[in-house]
Amino acid sequence: MALLEMRRINKTFGQVKALDGIDLQLQTGEVLSLCGENGSGKSTLMKILSGVYPSGDYEGEIWLAGERIRARGLRDMEALGVVMIHQELTLVKQLSIQDNLFLGCEPHQHGVLNEARMYQRACQLLQRVHLDIDPDTLVADLGVGQQQLVEIAKALGKEARLLILDEPTAPLTEREAQLLLGLIGELRQQGVSCIFISHKLSEVKAISDLICVIRDGVHIATREARQLSSDDIVTLMVGREIRQLFPREPHAIGDVVLEVGPVTAWDRQRPGVQRVQNVSFSVREGEIVGIAGLVGSGRTELMECLFASYEGRYQCPLRLRGQALQFRDNRQALAQGIVMVPEDRKRHGIVPILGVGDNITLAALPTLRRHGLLCEASETVAINDGIRRLRVKTAAASLPISQLSGGNQQKAILARCLMLHPRILILDEPTRGIDVGAKYEIYKLIYELARQGIAILMVSSELPEVLGISDRVLVMHNGQLKGDLPNDGLTQEAIMGCALRQEEASHAG
Amino acid sequence: MLDKPHVTLNLGSAAVPAATMRPTLRSLLQRHLQLLVMVLALLLIAVVFSITTDGSYLSARNVSNLLRQTAITGILAIGMVFVIVSAEIDLSVGSMMGLLGGIAAILDVWFGWPLPFTIVLTLAAGLLLGLWNGWWVAYRKVPSFIVTLAGMLAFRGILIGITEGSTVAPTSNTMGLIGQSYLPDAASVAVLAVAALVILGWRRYQRGLRQQLQLPTPAISREMMQVGAVLLLVLAGVLLLNSYRGVPTPVLLLIVLMLAGGFVARKTLFGRHVYAIGGNLDASRLSGIDVARTKLTVFALNGVLVGVAALILCSRLGAGSPSAGNFAELDAIAACVIGGTSLAGGVGSIYRAVLGALIMSSLDNGMSMMDVPTFWQYIVKGAILLLAVWMDSATRRRA
């Protein structure tokens, strides 16, 4: 008997059919990966399964271990052992690990918390996810990878039989992701089933028993993972063949346009700690420089220093076309043509309630004035131009940007940056959480910009991406620049080796 | 090693000890910097006013007055902390306190009800008004700023309507008990002794629980020293007050409510949920917390506390006045903010808010003793509020 069976699931939002007769089956201790582009209906399906959409909000049947389930909400499904770990971490940063683990189901007597019991169970749960930290630690003090583990521990605390993981590795570095995948394998052996959503096909291949592909709300195929190659999956997802994920195009590389450094940046919280130590490098016109390194290696901080948006103390001398500069704030950086697409799209990128158009023109409004007043006509022209040039898929320019998919939001942000006519464009994780099709378009755009002579600095946690499009790779580790390598026969192993080998050397010394 | 990687996962390694989390003196200082600054500010205020008033500021009589003045703002601040921590605001408490005080006065003066009935009905009315605010905020999704701004106007209007714009006076002698009586000397020492026993009992119970589950327990001597130090400090205060007329009843009420509030905030499900909701609303909802119900409860609780403050106010004034409680909401909010409560929600402490109230009323009291003109008092209070919040955000940025 299957642990889970979803039969003929239909779901409509107003006029739009989001899911059209989806079937899904899962046995105890199996890992199933759900693949599909953004907007294909994966998240909607998982929201139905996890009880976010209660029974009656959709058509179709859910059977769990032979029983028909009619959940009224999240809590009902959690009581049955179906727990979803959401894409955006849902921990309360101001509370401790232990408080978070039991949030909503705290052990208590007559409303008074039993803190000793909480502490003890928290220790046990953390042990199961191999996290060796005091449960009294504030979640705000943890790294993203550790927070992810706390989320899983929280789910285990609810006696989960079926874990739903929505993009759990997106914010993690390669190494952390590997550890997380190892943990899922361990849980599988303990009889915990898992539905896994990820845009990283190598992970999907490595971890799954089954792969289920959905496109436009329709079930396309469910196959055993070993029968499918990554190319097969992409073909099924997109419905057409993408010949090559990285559309490498030849482009001319000009003179050195920017010399940076030595950059040193101190931690915001602990002034004694250096996040970036004495890093120097240079960039040429039309060059694409990839910056690799673990989360926390100082890559984002380095870029923030360069863009003068770093919030701690830092030193960042620059030479732009030979002219020595030191910015006081990022307005001066913008004025010099240095533009950044931030890492955290939701927090630093979009203004969710504003329309797509307003988001695009946000940075360039001063240039759209006439006699001191905002000129609506030129704004409309600029918006239409940006939407067309970047192929932002939106029903209308006035649609709130929060309703667009991640890929289209990112394109809108890029449009905003391009309106400033950058000479140097910094991209921090430009394709995080974006589906394959949109990634491809963003890569093509990067090449187009490089051909126009714009120097591009791209931070990315995905090594295939760094290798796929960079001309040169900077390797950061522990705040230091460990390598400045031309991308010529470079491999992932060589980059990781460059970061880690030298760490061993420094440990020995 | 200057820079540790931001993220360490330690999978499968027992090498990283939890001991790395042991607080250093520096981190302790940083964490409690704000408390330290507040205590220093209080000391500074005491020293300055003692000098300018030739020592009468610290006389038993004045300390007694000062604490009585703190009671109302302090009690309002307790309720307000819950509201602000849940990332809401309540602007109606001033008018609500006026209205509830008016109701108490009318029951007492016009209808001659016995005191216990008056108390119960006033508190019940407070509960209702709190539920009213909370219902609009939690279930009708109207922003609390608007709901309580409406309440601020409407409650004041109702008050003026039912009192016909005139003062309801004089209240009965029994009514005076709440705000104007003092505890007999022996009684306050006895209350303190009982409190000490309850605290030690609770700690013992907690130790037992931890030991039963084989968890590390802090050294008993250290715990006794902490409790002992606090009790000695309170005992000194009680003795000082006893040398005048004893502990004022409103002060006792404030302390009891403060301890109860602190317990609810930190040791109960409800309190934990309030902090979680203010910290991350979505996370709380996804964790299965009934957000609406919790918010409703927060406003209801606040309403009851306003009822207590109203009874004290009515008793102290000996009357119900149409203008009673004007601007009290601002004093309460200021006390919370001076006490480090974050208006963004998720952060705040009952004890520090009451300490904030004490700082505000110390300034009021000292300046009044010095005959500082009223307009200066407003300006100084405004400046202190601004300074407190600025210092908080400045140290947080640098720390």
Side-chain angles (χ1 to χ4, degrees):
Chain A
M1 185 174 47
L3 171 70
L4 170 74
E5 217 178 314
M6 297 179 85
R7 291 183 195 159
R8 297 183 304 282
I9 303 289
N10 285 307
K11 167 85 184 159
T12 48
F13 292 106
Q15 303 289 317
V16 186
K17 196 152 201 173
L19 293 177
D20 192 357
I22 302 250
D23 289 303
L24 194 81
Q25 265 201 17
L26 188 65
Q27 308 292 329
T28 302
E30 264 185 346
V31 175
L32 177 139
S33 284
L34 205 52
C35 295
E37 291 190 275
N38 281 350
S40 62
K42 289 173 305 193
S43 296
T44 310
L45 186 63
M46 289 304 102
K47 279 182 180 163
I48 286 174
L49 178 54
S50 64
V52 172
Y53 299 133
S55 173
D57 248 24
Y58 57 88
E59 292 166 36
E61 299 170 5
I62 299 179
W63 293 73
L64 197 65
E67 264 185 78
R68 175 89 193 268
I69 305 297
R70 289 187 183 82
R72 283 161 305 169
L74 271 176
R75 275 201 131 150
D76 284 0
M77 287 316 283
E78 290 189 356
L80 292 164
V82 178
V83 183
M84 175 145 175
I85 293 174
H86 289 263
Q87 203 166 349
E88 276 77 43
L89 293 175
T90 53
L91 298 172
V92 183
K93 301 229 157 61
Q94 295 91 335
L95 295 181
S96 70
I97 296 179
Q98 150 185 337
D99 293 342
N100 271 287
L101 287 180
F102 302 108
L103 200 61
C105 52
E106 296 86 346
H108 65 101
Q109 282 122 16
H110 316 297
V112 178
L113 295 170
N114 186 341
E115 286 187 310
R117 177 107 191 91
M118 279 168 77
Y119 187 87
Q120 186 212 23
R121 286 212 54 209
C123 289
Q124 290 166 354
L125 287 172
L126 291 182
Q127 219 163 24
R128 271 186 84 186
V129 297
H130 306 293
L131 192 59
D132 189 13
I133 288 183
D134 187 349
D136 275 334
T137 312
L138 285 189
V139 167
D141 294 338
L142 300 181
V144 194
Q146 292 172 316
Q147 293 187 13
Q148 193 70 257
L149 293 179
V150 172
E151 282 273 12
I152 292 179
K154 184 173 165 185
L156 294 177
K158 293 172 182 158
E159 310 284 339
R161 288 193 279 175
L162 174 57
L163 275 182
I164 305 168
L165 297 155
D166 192 357
E167 292 265 8
T169 57
L172 303 187
T173 62
E174 203 86 359
R175 203 179 65 185
E176 290 166 353
Q178 287 308 319
L179 295 171
L180 183 72
L181 297 182
L183 179 65
I184 293 174
E186 250 176 65
L187 293 174
R188 164 165 57 180
Q189 275 165 9
Q190 295 166 18
V192 180
S193 307
C194 182
I195 295 180
F196 183 74
I197 298 177
S198 173
H199 285 302
K200 296 183 191 165
L201 295 180
S202 57
E203 291 176 355
V204 167
K205 285 278 296 164
I207 196 180
S208 324
D209 300 306
L210 290 173
I211 291 175
C212 170
V213 180
I214 293 179
R215 192 201 313 147
D216 299 329
V218 181
H219 177 253
I220 301 296
T222 301
R223 307 252 178 87
E224 283 191 36
R226 356 182 202 104
Q227 295 175 350
L228 292 174
S229 70
S230 297
D231 287 345
D232 295 340
I233 302 173
V234 171
T235 310
L236 287 172
M237 275 167 61
V238 183
R240 59 179 191 275
E241 263 182 83
I242 287 189
R243 281 248 158 265
Q244 203 191 353
L245 189 50
F246 303 108
R248 209 152 179 170
E249 291 169 25
H251 53 273
I253 294 177
D255 296 332
V256 170
V257 56
L258 178 71
E259 290 166 88
V260 183
V263 183
T264 301
W266 285 266
D267 192 90
R268 281 170 57 195
Q269 312 291 335
R270 293 161 295 168
V273 176
Q274 292 182 335
R275 293 240 81 101
V276 179
Q277 298 170 31
N278 270 326
V279 173
S280 301
F281 64 93
S282 63
V283 195
R284 291 167 178 275
E285 266 176 12
E287 190 181 30
I288 303 171
V289 179
I291 295 160
L294 306 176
V295 171
S297 61
R299 4 166 258 205
T300 294
E301 289 83 349
L302 178 64
M303 293 303 111
E304 286 177 348
C305 290
L306 187 52
F307 186 54
S309 68
Y310 187 66
E311 288 187 28
R313 192 160 72 84
Y314 69 95
Q315 291 163 355
C316 180
L318 302 172
R319 291 184 82 80
L320 190 64
R321 291 179 203 281
Q323 181 196 358
L325 289 170
Q326 193 133 19
F327 299 134
R328 264 199 322 274
D329 56 35
N330 64 323
R331 290 165 56 90
Q332 294 182 336
L334 286 171
Q336 292 292 335
I338 300 182
V339 175
M340 178 155 98
V341 176
E343 179 184 15
D344 193 336
R345 187 165 55 237
K346 288 231 164 72
R347 252 183 66 207
H348 299 134
I350 60 170
V351 185
I353 53 165
L354 287 185
V356 179
D358 291 350
N359 267 286
I360 290 176
T361 53
L362 189 65
L365 287 179
T367 65
L368 299 171
R369 279 179 307 185
R370 223 172 249 188
H371 314 299
L373 294 174
L374 197 57
C375 174
E376 271 184 50
S378 18
E379 193 180 358
T380 309
V381 170
I383 290 170
N384 290 340
D385 187 50
I387 289 179
R388 203 184 50 243
R389 212 172 137 200
L390 283 133
R391 276 176 246 124
V392 182
K393 274 180 221 143
T394 175
S398 57
L399 199 68
I401 196 167
S402 53
Q403 294 187 11
L404 265 53
S405 70
N408 283 308
Q409 289 180 4
Q410 189 72 313
K411 285 194 236 165
I413 304 248
L414 274 163
R416 176 199 297 172
C417 291
L418 295 185
M419 281 191 68
L420 299 168
H421 306 292
R423 284 192 283 179
I424 291 149
L425 183 61
I426 304 171
L427 304 168
D428 200 350
E429 300 280 6
T431 64
R432 169 177 292 174
I434 287 179
D435 64 60
V436 182
K439 271 185 186 176
Y440 183 80
E441 289 184 36
I442 286 180
Y443 296 145
K444 281 189 75 158
L445 179 77
I446 290 176
Y447 277 105
E448 191 191 313
L449 297 174
R451 264 211 310 278
Q452 294 166 16
I454 297 174
I456 291 170
L457 288 162
M458 184 190 71
V459 172
S460 174
S461 293
E462 285 186 55
L463 287 180
E465 176 175 287
V466 172
L467 290 170
I469 68 169
S470 313
D471 298 312
R472 187 151 60 89
V473 179
L474 304 179
V475 184
M476 292 282 294
H477 192 70
N478 272 0
Q480 292 167 351
L481 185 61
K482 294 290 190 176
D484 187 340
L485 315 165
N487 188 5
D488 188 7
L490 199 58
T491 60
Q492 297 192 31
E493 291 74 22
I495 292 178
M496 287 317 286
C498 175
L500 300 174
R501 194 168 45 244
Q502 296 192 22
E503 173 166 68
E504 279 161 24
S506 73
H507 270 294
Chain B
M1 283 306 293
L2 282 163
D3 189 8
K4 282 195 170 175
H6 189 56
V7 175
T8 44
L9 269 163
N10 314 318
L11 272 171
S13 89
V16 172
T20 49
M21 297 294 171
R22 190 181 296 149
T24 58
L25 185 65
R26 196 194 166 87
S27 75
L28 266 180
L29 199 71
Q30 252 167 27
R31 186 161 294 180
H32 297 290
L33 181 68
Q34 204 224 349
L35 184 63
L36 199 69
V37 169
M38 287 177 74
V39 172
L40 286 178
L42 261 181
L43 288 178
L44 184 74
I45 291 170
V47 169
V48 169
F49 284 136
S50 290
I51 294 170
T52 52
T53 61
D54 294 328
S56 52
Y57 176 79
L58 278 181
S59 68
R61 180 168 168 274
N62 191 53
V63 169
S64 180
N65 268 335
L66 169 59
L67 290 178
R68 271 180 9 165
Q69 287 168 5
T70 311
I72 288 173
T73 311
I75 290 172
L76 292 179
I78 294 169
M80 190 63 82
V81 170
F82 283 102
V83 175
I84 296 180
V85 166
S86 70
E88 303 289 349
I89 193 77
D90 192 339
L91 300 174
S92 70
V93 298
S95 295
M96 199 194 289
M97 179 165 74
L99 174 55
L100 294 171
I103 290 173
I106 287 171
L107 292 176
D108 187 74
V109 178
W110 291 357
F111 297 102
W113 278 28
L115 183 62
F117 291 154
T118 308
I119 290 177
V120 169
L121 200 102
T122 308
L123 295 183
L127 180 69
L128 266 178
L129 294 181
L131 284 170
W132 166 261
N133 279 341
W135 180 76
W136 281 102
V137 173
Y139 291 99
R140 297 266 76 75
K141 314 279 181 224
V142 181
S144 56
F145 190 93
I146 303 302
V147 171
T148 58
L149 186 63
M152 177 178 165
L153 297 169
F155 299 159
R156 181 69 59 195
I158 297 171
L159 171 63
I160 295 171
I162 59 173
T163 58
E164 290 156 6
S166 60
T167 303
V168 182
T171 55
S172 64
N173 285 337
T174 47
M175 187 77 202
L177 283 177
I178 306 171
Q180 299 181 9
S181 67
Y182 296 83
L183 262 71
D185 291 4
S188 36
V189 176
V191 167
L192 187 59
V194 171
L197 283 177
V198 170
I199 290 169
L200 288 174
W202 168 258
R203 293 263 180 153
R204 213 182 116 102
Y205 169 68
Q206 286 294 315
R207 289 181 75 84
L209 274 181
R210 290 181 74 90
Q211 269 157 5
Q212 203 183 327
L213 297 168
Q214 292 164 350
L215 298 172
T217 42
I220 204 159
S221 57
R222 197 184 152 144
E223 216 171 323
M224 294 297 273
M225 259 167 53
Q226 280 178 356
V227 176
V230 173
L231 284 175
L232 274 179
L233 210 67
V234 177
L235 183 67
V238 168
L239 291 178
L240 179 70
L241 290 174
N242 280 354
S243 74
Y244 178 55
R245 284 184 180 171
V247 177
T249 310
V251 176
L252 178 73
L253 282 173
L254 171 64
I255 292 172
V256 168
L257 290 173
M258 176 179 79
L259 292 175
F263 183 83
V264 169
R266 289 296 179 195
K267 300 289 175 194
T268 66
L269 281 192
F270 166 71
R272 182 61 43 82
H273 291 174
V274 173
Y275 280 83
I277 287 170
N280 187 339
L281 186 69
D282 293 323
S284 306
R285 188 174 290 127
L286 290 172
S287 299
I289 293 174
D290 191 336
V291 172
R293 204 193 149 92
T294 308
K295 284 195 174 173
L296 180 71
T297 314
V298 165
F299 278 94
L301 179 75
N302 190 36
V304 175
L305 285 165
V306 173
V308 178
L311 286 165
I312 297 174
L313 182 70
C314 171
S315 167
R316 256 186 61 191
L317 297 176
S321 140
S323 66
N326 256 340
F327 294 124
E329 65 282 337
L330 299 183
D331 281 341
I333 294 170
C336 292
V337 168
I338 289 176
T341 311
S342 160
L343 285 172
V347 179
S349 148
I350 306 282
Y351 306 115
R352 291 188 189 185
V354 172
L355 206 54
L358 185 60
I359 289 180
M360 298 278 289
S361 52
S362 299
L363 285 169
D364 269 344
N365 174 287
M367 288 191 294
S368 303
M369 284 184 81
M370 285 172 60
D371 283 327
V372 175
T374 321
F375 75 90
W376 269 117
Q377 299 191 17
Y378 280 117
I379 294 171
V380 169
K381 276 161 72 176
I384 294 287
L385 180 63
L386 201 58
L387 193 72
V389 177
W390 170 72
M391 266 184 51
D392 191 36
S393 62
T395 50
R396 207 162 289 178
R397 225 177 297 129
R398 218 170 327 119

